[in-house]
Amino acid sequence: MMIRRITQLLIGLAMYGISLAMFIRAGLGLDPWDVFHQGLAGLSGFSIGTVVVAVSFLVLLLWIPLRQKPGFGTLANAVLVGVFADIGLALIPAFSHLGGQIGMLAGAVVLNGIASACYIGARLGPGARDGLMTGLAHRTGWSVRVSRTLIEVVVLGIGWLLGGSVGVGTVLYALAIGPLVQLMLPWFMVPAAVKAPAIEPEALDPCAVRS
């Protein structure tokens, strides 16, 4: 069972990184955290994958006052999503016509949903950004939805000011990713030895979840 969980986790994280590259190549807007990552990448001159990794570890520092504990999946997430994003960008061409952009965007959303269900279902620890969201909710008494919205509005605003890409893809991601993950999660959820606590539907959003 552990071999299956680790394999599923690694495949999910690889797909998540590739989906991020597809969003960028579509050129129609990114999810809030990746708007932030793209803005920082443009400002710093580093690749977006490098920025994703760096931000992941900086976010993990915020877990300390929130008393969150990372798992193996948390650390793997922090490293591998950025690595595979850069690999994807090296392999996937940009599209200059709208039809190709729309197709790339749709594929990115679907692949991101599958990827998120894979690594959440592996039950090996939340992503750094997930833990920040749920830790803030736990420490403040706010709902997960309020915590997630607050964090994403802040990073989206900063990323947009830094030149990150906001567009129809940002809106599509916000509307589609939660239902997609919730639909696919039962296919990939590894049975737990004991009954796990119920997961709030709003916690299944992987902007949240990371990815």
Side-chain angles (χ1 to χ4, degrees):
M1 183 64 73
M2 182 55 70
I3 292 175
R4 175 200 161 171
R5 293 170 70 189
I6 292 174
T7 301
Q8 181 174 309
L9 170 75
L10 298 179
I11 291 173
L13 296 177
M15 289 193 298
Y16 201 106
I18 297 297
S19 74
L20 169 53
M22 292 171 68
F23 273 111
I24 294 171
R25 291 304 190 215
L28 296 174
L30 306 173
D31 69 86
W33 273 105
D34 289 325
V35 172
F36 178 65
H37 296 143
Q38 189 181 50
L40 282 180
L43 180 67
S44 67
F46 292 114
S47 72
I48 192 166
T50 300
V51 171
V52 168
V53 173
V55 170
S56 295
F57 281 99
L58 289 174
V59 170
L60 284 175
L61 294 178
L62 298 177
W63 282 33
I64 297 172
L66 296 175
R67 299 179 183 175
Q68 296 284 95
K69 295 181 179 180
F72 172 77
T74 307
L75 300 177
N77 185 309
V79 174
L80 293 181
V81 170
V83 169
F84 279 98
D86 278 349
I87 291 173
L89 287 172
L91 297 176
I92 301 170
F95 284 83
S96 57
H97 53 89
L98 185 59
Q101 289 177 290
I102 292 173
M104 183 68 73
L105 175 62
V109 172
V110 173
L111 184 62
N112 193 282
I114 296 171
S116 300
C118 273
Y119 80 73
I120 293 170
R123 298 178 184 268
L124 288 171
R129 295 152 189 80
D130 289 349
L132 178 62
M133 174 190 70
T134 55
L136 184 63
H138 177 73
R139 295 290 289 172
T140 63
W142 299 340
S143 69
V144 171
R145 185 179 298 277
V146 167
S147 299
R148 172 178 175 264
T149 301
L150 176 63
I151 292 169
E152 292 190 356
V153 166
V154 171
V155 297
L156 177 63
I158 295 173
W160 178 71
L161 290 173
L162 292 175
S165 176
V166 178
V168 64
T170 310
V171 177
L172 178 62
Y173 186 93
L175 294 176
I177 200 64
L180 272 175
V181 175
Q182 193 161 13
L183 173 67
M184 297 175 181
L185 193 58
W187 305 348
F188 297 101
M189 185 64 76
V190 174
V194 295
K195 186 176 180 180
I199 301 174
E200 296 182 55
E202 59 265 37
L204 298 179
D205 266 303
C207 219
V209 175
R210 187 177 37 108
S211 343

